[in-house]
């Protein structure tokens, strides 16, 4: 995960399917990176250090990662804990197995397919016999990523081939096949391997990649909405996505005219199987558009723009014990005789403990309870929570947490 090129491999699915997105995205301000993205970058840094320790210093994967437990990110927001080390072991072990037989292995290396235009940073590349192996770490847990026909991996593969051709001609000449792999340790169902012949990969470059890149350079390049819109920086303002979402919803409910302002949405039980099929097919486009509206409105509201009927409030906080051991000790003194402070196998929650205590004893719990600040959310004005001031909004934004993300 390095710096992103204009036509970066990680967004290849978008710009190959929607060539007009490149020009449209250039008109929107750059999005600040999210907490998830920052955590992913940190995980990549740690994995890189572990692979180098395995490759260059002969450490076993488990030892290399256990040695990194406690390492903090530069921003101080993330730390390697046993869970992160465990997830990364899964990926680094795959690399370790390949390293034992590899003729060459590159970690976090820049690969270029069209100089200055299509390039990226591949997490792990190696050559074993006549096979090129490319491995990409995905630390996200929410969206399963498949390696099958994945354009990002194909670009890394092509970049690796090009790099070997120019720097390691003897190894390059032996290449016949390619394995493109994704390790997604936190997401069941994500990751896997995709095998293809080198000739197939080179044909994809000629037939898909080069025409796709040329299409992005056409000033009349069309916009085409689809599943790739999900991470498009222009999704909040894109006319093609808005049209697709409305068309999809209208198509799904055309028989019942559900989009007329005064009409009620149809009862779900009353939909025919045909209508259900159309409604289900419309969900991805409508969801992407709705999420884009939500994010855009939240950003504007946090910049002080008044959105009629809405306000920014603090998220509801779930109370928890400051120190569970201290709370268990206090509860063992004040709970009625015979009542255990544990709701097997866990300690009672603050709310459960309060139900068992009289009013006076409840007051004693205050010192043990904390209500962590979980950020803000944009809600309807009818919500009972007080609106927070512009100054408070700024503080919360600085701390980088919001429910709308
Ligand atoms: S939102 Fe979708 S259709 Fe619009 S520019 Fe982005 S990828 Fe293209």
């Amino acid at each position: 995960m390095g710096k992103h090129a204009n036509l970066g491999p990680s967004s290849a699915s978008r710009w190959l399917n929607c060539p007009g997105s490149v020009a449209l995205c250039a008109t929107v301000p750059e999005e600040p990176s999210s907490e998830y993205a920052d955590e992913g970058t940190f995980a990549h840094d740690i994995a890189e250090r572990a692979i180098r320790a395995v490759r260059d210093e002969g450490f076993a994967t488990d030892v290399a990662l256990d040695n990194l437990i406690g390492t903090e990110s530069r921003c101080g927001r993330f730390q390697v804990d046993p869970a992160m080390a465990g997830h990364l072991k899964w990926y680094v072990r795959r690399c370790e197995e390949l390293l034992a037989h590899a003729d060459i292995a590159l970690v976090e290396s820049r690969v270029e397919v069209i100089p200055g235009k299509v390039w990226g940073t591949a997490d792990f590349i190696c050559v074993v016999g006549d096979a090129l192996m490319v491995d990409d770490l995905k630390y996200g847990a929410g969206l399963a990523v498949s390696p099958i026909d994945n354009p990002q991996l194909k670009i890394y593969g092509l970049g690796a081939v090009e790099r070997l051709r120019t720097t390691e001609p003897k190894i390059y000449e032996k290449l016949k096949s390619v394995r493109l792999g994704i390790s997604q340790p936190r997401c069941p169902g994500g990751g896997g391997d995709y095998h293809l012949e080198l000739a197939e990969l080179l044909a994809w470059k000629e037939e898909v990649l080069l025409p796709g890149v040329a299409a992005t350079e056409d000033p009349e390049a069309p916009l085409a909405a689809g599943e790739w819109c999900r991470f498009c920086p222009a999704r909040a303002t894109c006319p093609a996505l808005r049209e697709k979402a409305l068309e999809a919803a209208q198509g799904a409910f055309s028989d019942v005219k559900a989009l007329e302002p005064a009409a009620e949405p149809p009862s779900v039980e009353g939909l025919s199987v045909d209508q259900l099929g159309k409604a289900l097919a419309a969900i991805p486009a409508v969801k992407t558009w709705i999420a884009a509206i939500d994010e855009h409105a939240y950003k504007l509201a946090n910049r002080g723009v008044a959105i009629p009927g809405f306000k920014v409030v603090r998220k509801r906080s779930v109370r928890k014990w400051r120190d569970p051991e201290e709370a268990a000790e206090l509860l063992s003194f004040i709970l009625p005789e015979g009542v255990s402070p544990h709701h097997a196998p866990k300690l009672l929650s603050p709310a459960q403990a309060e139900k068992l205590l009289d009013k006076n004893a409840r007051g004693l719990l205050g010192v043990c309870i904390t209500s962590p600040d979980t950020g803000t959310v944009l809600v309807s004005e009818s919500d009972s929570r007080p609106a927070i001031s512009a100054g408070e909004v700024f503080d919360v934004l600085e701390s980088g947490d919001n429910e709308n993300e």
Side-chain angles (χ1 to χ4, degrees), residues 4 34 43 62 66 76 93 113 137-138 158 166 169 171 188 215 276 284 300 313 319 395 405:
H4 293 289
S34 68
D62 288 12
D66 286 344
R93 271 190 215 121
V113 181
L137 169 65
K138 302 279 183 209
L158 286 168
T166 51
I171 293 177
L276 275 177
L300 288 181
V313 298
R319 293 181 306 158
D395 289 346
E405 280 177 353

Side-chain angles (χ1 to χ4, degrees), residues 14 18 21 24 223-226 228-229 232 234-235 238 240-241:
R14 168 176 57 78
C18 176
S21 66
L24 190 61
L223 298 173
W228 46 87
C229 297
C232 176
R235 63 195 178 282
C238 173
L241 176 60

